[in-house]
Amino acid sequence: MQDVIAPYYPWIVLVHVVCAIVFAGAVAFEVFALEALHERFDIATMQQIEAAVMARVRRYMPFVVLLLFVSGGMLFDLRCDGIRCIGSTRFGWFLLAKVVLAFGVLGVFVSAVWAGARGRMSVCRFRHTHRIVLGLVAAIVFLAKTMFYL
């Protein structure tokens, strides 16, 4: 499979980076901008604002996350030659840590979608979910930027 996708490596990286930026940007917006609005607006208004934002995000974020993971899996296969580099080099350890954190993000994301669909997404859970995801995404970005240099 590597021979088939290797010529598309630059495009796969581009798709992966764009999806990561969209995902991280959306989470950062929710944590830094949306949470700050709670101090300025009453509860009913904030519920309307959050509902409108979430309705918009629900339309595209599952597609972004899917593309992010598919492109990440392809990049993993290309850079690690299957799983051969895991544990054998510093790059492999960093990559393994990135993958573990990414699946942590996916778990939190799926849990949040599940809770939202079931009507169990409280304001507290909403806030903590986004803060946890932002922390995990920041760690992934740190690893992504250092894994080639350390």
Side-chain angles (χ1 to χ4, degrees):
M1 180 162 146
Q2 283 186 346
D3 296 336
V4 175
I5 62 174
Y8 301 103
Y9 180 79
W11 294 105
I12 298 166
V13 169
L14 182 63
V15 167
H16 189 70
V17 169
V18 167
C19 289
I21 289 169
V22 169
F23 184 79
V27 173
F29 170 78
E30 290 165 5
V31 170
F32 296 123
L34 211 53
E35 282 188 23
L37 296 178
H38 282 273
E39 299 168 3
R40 301 199 59 183
F41 296 103
D42 60 272
I43 293 171
T45 304
M46 273 313 298
Q47 287 176 340
Q48 288 180 327
I49 292 170
E50 287 175 346
V53 169
M54 288 301 104
R56 177 78 175 153
V57 168
R58 268 190 223 109
R59 278 185 259 176
Y60 71 85
M61 198 55 72
F63 180 69
V64 169
V65 170
L66 178 67
L67 275 177
L68 185 61
F69 272 84
V70 168
S71 61
M74 295 168 100
L75 292 172
F76 180 90
D77 188 48
L78 285 168
R79 296 293 297 181
C80 202
D81 194 24
I83 60 168
R84 287 183 180 84
C85 75
I86 299 297
S88 61
T89 64
R90 184 171 294 157
F91 176 86
W93 283 111
F94 276 49
L95 188 58
L96 178 62
K98 257 182 68 176
V99 168
V100 168
L101 291 174
F103 277 104
V105 169
L106 183 63
V108 172
F109 180 78
V110 168
S111 173
V113 169
W114 187 267
R118 301 278 184 264
R120 296 183 180 156
M121 182 59 80
S122 66
V123 173
C124 185
R125 184 173 185 173
F126 180 86
R127 184 177 302 129
H128 290 302
T129 295
H130 289 98
R131 288 178 181 177
I132 290 166
V133 169
L134 183 61
L136 292 171
V137 167
I140 291 169
V141 169
F142 175 80
L143 289 170
K145 296 312 292 176
T146 58
M147 64 192 296
F148 292 100
Y149 306 106
L150 295 180

